[in-house]
């Protein structure tokens, strides 16, 4: 089945402030192929949350090294380092805007792959930052979006 192209939504789109719901055991996950396609089509994109294509399900795609996108379904941070780093973050849904965000340097994440196999994996530094940013999207709380809305627009 061909993947349905789905555009990345931006700025005032209502999906961006919604809390996404868990992907149920029998739910279709073909929307993640649209996420991969959208991320691949976005120059310099390193990650995408499902709500960024207006799908209100808990799935993210990450590509921190710009090589191959990975899909994480129902990602949950199960533990993290004591140390945090502050660095600027941008967002495909708020182009042209960035802001400084404090993130855990190392996180352990439980998630499922597209075949719904469970995994537990450690992410560090930039990859950890990308995962944390995209999980913020699943909670309707992208920090770049928060900064944009706080800017009074
Ligand atoms: Zn974002």
């Amino acid at each position: 089945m061909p993947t349905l192209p789905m555009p990345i939504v931006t700025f005032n789109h209502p999906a961006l402030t919604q809390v996404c719901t868990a992907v149920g055991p029998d739910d279709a996950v073909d929307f993640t192929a649209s996420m991969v396609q959208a991320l691949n089509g976005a120059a310099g994109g390193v990650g995408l949350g499902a709500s960024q294509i207006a799908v209100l399900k808990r799935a993210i795609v990450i590509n921190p090294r710009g090589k191959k996108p990975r899909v994480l379904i129902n990602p949950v941070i199960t533990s993290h380092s004591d140390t945090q780093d502050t660095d600027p973050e941008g967002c495909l849904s708020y182009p042209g805007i960035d802001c400084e965000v404090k993130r855990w340097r190392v996180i352990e994440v439980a998630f499922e792959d597209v075949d719904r196999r469970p995994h537990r994996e450690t992410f560090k530094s930039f990859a950890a930052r990308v995962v944390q940013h995209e999980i913020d999207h699943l909670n309707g709380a992208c920090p770049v979006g928060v900064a944009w809305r706080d800017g009074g627009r």
Side-chain angles (χ1 to χ4, degrees), residues 17-146:
T17 50
Q18 300 300 305
V19 177
C20 298
T21 57
V23 182
D26 299 319
D27 286 357
V29 294
D30 46 352
F31 68 91
T32 62
S34 297
M35 293 172 65
V36 169
Q37 189 179 63
L39 183 61
N40 281 337
V46 292
L48 199 70
S51 53
Q52 290 183 272
I53 60 164
V55 174
L56 299 179
K57 291 285 182 181
R58 301 192 78 84
I60 67 174
V61 177
I62 62 165
N63 192 9
R65 292 183 195 84
K67 287 183 178 170
K68 192 172 186 298
R70 294 180 60 197
V71 174
L72 281 63
I73 292 170
N74 294 331
V76 175
I77 297 171
T78 53
S79 65
H80 59 73
S81 57
D82 292 332
T83 49
Q84 293 182 302
D85 290 322
T86 301
D87 269 316
E89 292 183 8
C91 182
L92 293 171
S93 289
Y94 304 94
I97 298 172
D98 55 62
C99 62
E100 298 277 322
V101 186
K102 191 185 276 191
R103 298 291 191 190
W104 305 113
R105 189 176 292 170
V106 183
I107 56 174
E108 186 185 64
V109 182
F111 62 94
E112 299 157 41
D113 61 30
V114 286
D115 298 317
R116 310 305 304 271
R117 288 176 301 219
H119 298 268
R120 194 174 286 262
E121 188 171 323
T122 300
F123 295 88
K124 296 175 185 168
S125 51
F126 186 62
R129 177 170 294 275
V130 172
V131 170
Q132 288 170 86
H133 183 110
E134 304 318 331
I135 289 177
D136 281 350
H137 271 287
L138 304 185
N139 296 320
C142 168
V144 182
V146 170

